[in-house]
Amino acid sequence: MSPKKKSRPYISAAPPPPPQFDPTMFQAAVTAAVAAAMSQISMNGTGGAGSGATKSNHGDRMRREVEDVVELMQNIQSRLTVKEAARTSVLSKSWLHAWSTFPNLRFDVGRGKSMKLVDVERTLIRYHRDNTPIKRFDLKIDIANQESASQAEKWIGRVATKTCLKEISLSLFLWGASFMLPDEILASENLTKIRVSAPRIHSNSVWMTATNPVIKCMSSLRELHLEGVSISEEALHHILSSCCLLVKIELLHSCEGFKTIKVKNLPRLYELNISFASLYENSTALEISDVPKLGVFS
């Protein structure tokens, strides 16, 4: 008698796991889509004959559409980390162009960081040489000596005078030097936000020495954030009285020794934050008037 065949147990096949998101494939897909769009733009711009006016219109439309594509790429790059955004430059010439003219500059320089002072210097020289717009400037830096402080002061002065600058953010960690903010820190006509943060690690300070700083952002500045900045009472009052459209003001450990802080005639001001070292907390008077929209105060 032939032996009975053992029946195999029934095993239900599990559904395959969903495919994981692959950033590389995503970037490749975006690149392909952009390349196709640019190819279509090129065909539309060169296809067909017409009058001089028509050709001019085609040229203008083509230029606008190319600018839109670059803006789209830069929008994607702005949502990535600096390293990830830099890697997109190897995808194609279009991505390289978008990255090399990226208007939002972010630098993180210091101890244990891969980015060096020379990298910032080279980038700013290239932007200045090519007249490339800078809309946002974000610098986080460890300053170990007066030489690096002077170099960073020069960078900030160079960027602050650009009329296209809208936001400037400085995180300054002083280990062995003092730092002087340039008089032109508020010289951009379209500046909407300025943030200067300088945690006092040692006795070194960030100074804003000009009693009457150059202010050209009177009608554009919306946010002012100063932390650990040594500024004169006269200079601060000059800024607050000149920039009447401020919406948010933060003064953290920056008003020590003031007799009075005057916050007046700011019809759009919604948030006001002021903090002192405990030594000065009860020795400074605060005058607030004509700020009808003030909703947050601490």
Side-chain angles (χ1 to χ4, degrees):
M1 179 180 260
S2 60
K4 280 187 177 181
K5 290 184 179 179
K6 292 184 178 180
S7 59
R8 294 181 179 178
Y10 174 76
I11 300 176
S12 60
Q20 293 184 343
F21 175 73
D22 187 340
T24 304
M25 292 182 63
F26 169 73
Q27 290 176 348
V30 172
T31 303
V34 172
M38 294 186 71
S39 176
Q40 184 65 42
I41 291 169
S42 178
M43 290 175 61
N44 291 341
T46 58
S51 65
T54 303
K55 289 180 180 179
S56 176
N57 291 339
H58 277 310
D60 291 342
R61 185 178 66 182
M62 180 180 176
R63 184 169 54 254
R64 285 195 302 270
E65 290 178 341
V66 169
E67 289 173 354
D68 289 343
V69 170
V70 173
E71 187 176 345
L72 171 63
M73 289 176 168
Q74 291 175 339
N75 189 302
I76 294 170
Q77 290 168 336
S78 69
R79 301 172 188 273
L80 304 173
T81 65
V82 175
K83 286 185 178 180
E84 290 172 338
R87 289 189 186 115
T88 64
S89 63
V90 304
L91 295 174
S92 70
K93 289 183 179 180
S94 299
W95 280 102
L96 175 60
H97 173 68
W99 177 243
S100 63
T101 58
F102 192 62
N104 304 334
L105 295 183
R106 294 172 285 172
F107 300 110
D108 190 353
V109 186
R111 302 180 178 185
K113 307 291 177 57
S114 60
M115 187 173 288
K116 306 300 179 185
L117 294 173
V118 67
D119 299 321
V120 183
E121 181 73 13
R122 287 172 178 168
T123 300
L124 292 180
I125 288 175
R126 178 171 57 80
Y127 271 65
H128 180 71
R129 180 196 66 209
D130 299 340
N131 198 27
T132 303
I134 299 175
K135 295 181 179 180
R136 296 179 185 175
F137 183 73
D138 188 339
L139 174 64
K140 183 178 181 181
I141 184 171
D142 291 331
I143 297 177
N145 52 54
Q146 204 59 50
E147 182 181 356
S148 58
S150 298
Q151 196 166 13
E153 290 168 6
K154 182 179 67 174
W155 297 339
I156 296 167
R158 187 185 300 167
V159 171
T161 56
K162 286 186 171 287
T163 56
C164 54
L165 184 68
K166 292 185 177 181
E167 296 184 15
I168 185 167
S169 177
L170 307 173
S171 298
L172 309 171
F173 298 87
L174 307 178
W175 298 95
S178 59
F179 194 93
M180 308 290 287
L181 288 172
D183 295 348
E184 300 83 9
I185 191 70
L186 298 170
S188 176
E189 298 175 2
N190 294 300
L191 189 68
T192 62
K193 180 178 180 180
I194 179 170
R195 177 184 178 275
V196 182
S197 176
R200 295 191 177 179
I201 302 171
H202 299 297
S203 59
N204 304 297
S205 297
V206 171
W207 297 86
M208 183 179 283
T209 57
T211 54
N212 289 296
V214 178
I215 301 177
K216 295 185 178 180
C217 54
M218 290 88 72
S219 61
S220 62
L221 192 66
R222 298 294 185 269
E223 294 188 25
L224 172 68
H225 176 106
L226 301 178
E227 178 183 1
V229 177
S230 296
I231 183 173
S232 71
E233 188 170 332
E234 183 180 356
L236 179 63
H237 291 163
H238 179 51
I239 294 171
L240 296 185
S241 61
S242 300
C243 303
C244 59
L245 298 181
L246 281 163
V247 174
K248 182 177 181 179
I249 299 173
E250 289 187 319
L251 304 172
L252 311 178
H253 305 288
S254 296
C255 302
E256 276 70 14
F258 280 29
K259 291 182 179 180
T260 308
I261 299 176
K262 299 177 182 179
V263 182
K264 298 181 177 182
N265 302 315
L266 296 173
R268 297 189 181 184
L269 185 65
Y270 176 77
E271 184 173 348
L272 175 63
N273 300 312
I274 302 176
S275 68
F276 300 88
S278 57
L279 178 65
Y280 300 96
E281 189 168 3
N282 298 318
S283 62
T284 301
L286 179 60
E287 297 181 6
I288 302 177
S289 62
D290 298 318
V291 285
K293 293 188 177 181
L294 186 61
V296 178
F297 173 61
S298 63

